Amino acid sequence: MKKEMLINVLQPEESRIAIVEDGTLEELYVERTSIEQYTGNIYKGRVVNIEPSIQAVFVDFGVGRNGFLHVSDVEYQYYKHLLSDRERNDAERNRNSKFNERTSRNKPPIQDIFQRGSEVLVQVIKEGIGNKGPTLSTYISIPGRYLVLMPGLNRLGVSRKIADEDLRRDLRKILRNLDPPEGLGFIIRTAGADRTEKDLQRDMNYLLRLWKTIVRRIKKLPAPVDIYEESDIVLRTIRDIYSSGIDAIWIDEEETYKRAREFMKAVMPKNADSIKLFEGKEPIFHTYKIENEIDRIQSRHVPLPGGASLVIDQTEALVAIDVNSGSYRADDDAEKSAYQVNLRAAEEIARQIRLRDLGGVIVNDFIDMRDERHRRGVERKLRDCVARDRARTKVLRISPFGLIEMTRQRIRPSLRRSIYEDCPCCNGTGQVKTAESMAIEVMRALMTASAHSDVSTVKVELHQQVADYLINNKRREMLELEEEYSVKVHFQTAANVGPAHLSLRCLNNNGSHVKVAEARN
């Protein structure tokens, strides 16, 4: 299997990174310079509001929007002075066990931990979505290539994605041999599973130097202020995603190519030659024939082999994915057909939620199956397919109605929310009033305005289709209205307006504006 990373940064406003396996787009990352990215950044902030009812505080960390900090994301150092000796001993044991103190239930109320004006070191763990501000945590984590430094975690650990117990034991032993400083926690990432002790030592030294710099900034600078900013999307993606399974990294801009090579020489010198400069005449994504596939990412309808399809609808609270069998048939056996379609759908669902970067609650409506073996088989297929996802996922059992509910970690707004905006005509609903509906509304508004004794002229601004409908279907009613109320009605079509646009301007005999209740302006 040929696997490549394509980096498109020719347009200064946008960076795009695609992971392609045997010509198929498997992952896509897009970042716009016009949209501030805060996830992973560390700030020294100040508490500006305390909400005991939801056990949370709002923190001004200097970006113009206050962040949300829940008590579950408050680290032990902030409240240890409030605990009794027994509670402190319990909390210390939790910090040094595989269950950290986030799971303990003996945290003091957040109103006892913080007061307005309290300074707090926070990291953004989730971008703000809609009207919600960014989500913050006091559990600081600074990723390197092979290790993650966690200053508040007083233990050494191994990523949960490394399942082999023997390997986990060996990695912990290597980590202990590195003799990290007292009070600082380290976790070995999946990328460090096959690295030597020397590689891990180099990464630890880099993280320790970085932490010393951060500590100096914390002591020196007053809140609110940024303390540490994550790398740009190119270096961040190479650091977090590159592995020996990727044959080449192609970059279409020379300066970015040079920076990426320097970064690779510093963290993975043996792999520096895997970074290559793309010099083709065609844009890189066109050359690899994935531009059209990217354009289709936001389509509601996703075709599956054999005539089946998915329909994906994204709402504010959840994502609904419906599996349709379409024209797919397997030997005139309904049960077998449903099972085959559902297996293919599970694979495509896992791919689509990665590509679209969907998060939160996801409800998958599979085709009903009676055979219990088939139902369990679809569950296993979906779990196996989402296992490669870097975001945390949890998949539940299939329900009697054929639904599989799952959650996926939401770190940043989905690709759809980053690239698109709600239509100003339909406000994101996907529907607008028909010309007939708007014509009826215009007639009602005209009757209201004409009934006013001071009104002699009504000027109506509206969409061209609505005006055409009124002229062709409501001409007699318009004439009767003008005669009955002794008014003149003038239609004016407006360019670049939606079908629901309606503006009425009422004038008296002197040409002065008359305010009329319920007349739209």
Side-chain angles (χ1 to χ4, degrees), residues 424-461:
C425 297
C426 69
N427 294 320
T429 64
Q431 295 180 318
V432 294
K433 288 184 178 180
T434 62
E436 180 183 21
S437 298
M438 281 305 303
I440 294 171
E441 191 171 327
V442 169
M443 292 302 297
R444 289 177 183 144
L446 283 174
M447 292 176 68
T448 301
S450 302
H452 196 285
S453 58
D454 291 339
V455 173
S456 62
T457 304
V458 182
K459 295 184 177 181
V460 186
E461 185 180 87

Side-chain angles (χ1 to χ4, degrees), residues 125-143:
I125 58 174
K126 189 187 298 182
E127 295 285 357
I129 298 175
N131 294 324
K132 298 178 181 178
T135 302
L136 309 177
S137 175
T138 62
Y139 294 96
I140 307 300
S141 63
I142 305 171

Side-chain angles (χ1 to χ4, degrees), residues 197-210:
E197 186 171 329
K198 184 178 180 181
D199 291 332
L200 299 181
Q201 182 70 69
R202 185 189 303 115
D203 206 38
M204 180 179 286
N205 292 340
Y206 159 73
L207 290 172
L208 291 175
R209 289 195 302 270
L210 180 57

Side-chain angles (χ1 to χ4, degrees), residues 341-483:
V341 169
N342 285 341
L343 289 178
R344 296 182 180 184
E347 188 173 350
E348 187 62 26
I349 285 170
R351 176 171 171 265
Q352 288 295 325
I353 63 175
R354 285 197 312 271
L355 287 178
R356 300 171 187 236
D357 199 19
L358 302 175
V361 177
I362 303 172
V363 180
N364 304 290
D365 184 7
F366 287 94
I367 301 170
D368 290 340
M369 299 172 293
R370 295 182 178 180
D371 193 322
E372 190 65 21
R373 292 176 303 168
H374 291 164
R375 295 163 69 87
R376 300 287 85 81
V378 172
E379 287 176 15
R380 286 194 298 271
K381 181 68 172 179
L382 184 58
R383 287 194 180 97
D384 291 343
C385 291
V386 300
R388 64 173 291 177
D389 200 333
R390 293 177 60 247
R392 290 193 301 272
T393 57
K394 182 178 181 180
V395 181
L396 300 184
R397 298 283 296 270
I398 192 168
S399 78
F401 299 109
L403 303 177
I404 295 184
E405 299 172 50
M406 62 181 291
T407 59
R408 183 173 183 269
Q409 180 187 19
R410 176 179 281 163
I411 299 176
R412 57 186 181 275
S414 68
L415 191 62
R416 174 182 175 181
R417 298 188 188 279
S418 300
I419 296 178
Y420 293 84
E421 63 182 5
D422 285 345
C423 170
C425 297
C426 69
N427 294 320
T429 64
Q431 295 180 318
V432 294
K433 288 184 178 180
T434 62
E436 180 183 21
S437 298
M438 281 305 303
I440 294 171
E441 191 171 327
V442 169
M443 292 302 297
R444 289 177 183 144
L446 283 174
M447 292 176 68
T448 301
S450 302
H452 196 285
S453 58
D454 291 339
V455 173
S456 62
T457 304
V458 182
K459 295 184 177 181
V460 186
E461 185 180 87
L462 68 176
H463 190 272
Q464 180 67 57
Q465 288 182 339
V466 181
D468 292 342
Y469 186 93
L470 285 165
I471 292 170
N472 294 327
N473 298 279
K474 295 285 187 180
R475 186 188 298 271
R476 178 178 296 177
E477 294 177 41
M478 293 291 303
L479 292 173
E480 291 175 353
L481 184 144
E482 287 180 325
E483 290 178 6

Side-chain angles (χ1 to χ4, degrees), residues 142-144 147-151 178-186 200-216:
I142 305 171
L147 301 174
V148 178
L149 167 62
M150 303 185 73
L178 296 180
D179 193 25
E182 187 70 26
L184 293 181
F186 285 91
L200 299 181
Q201 182 70 69
R202 185 189 303 115
D203 206 38
M204 180 179 286
N205 292 340
Y206 159 73
L207 290 172
L208 291 175
R209 289 195 302 270
L210 180 57
W211 178 242
K212 287 179 181 177
T213 303
I214 290 173
V215 170
R216 284 198 298 269

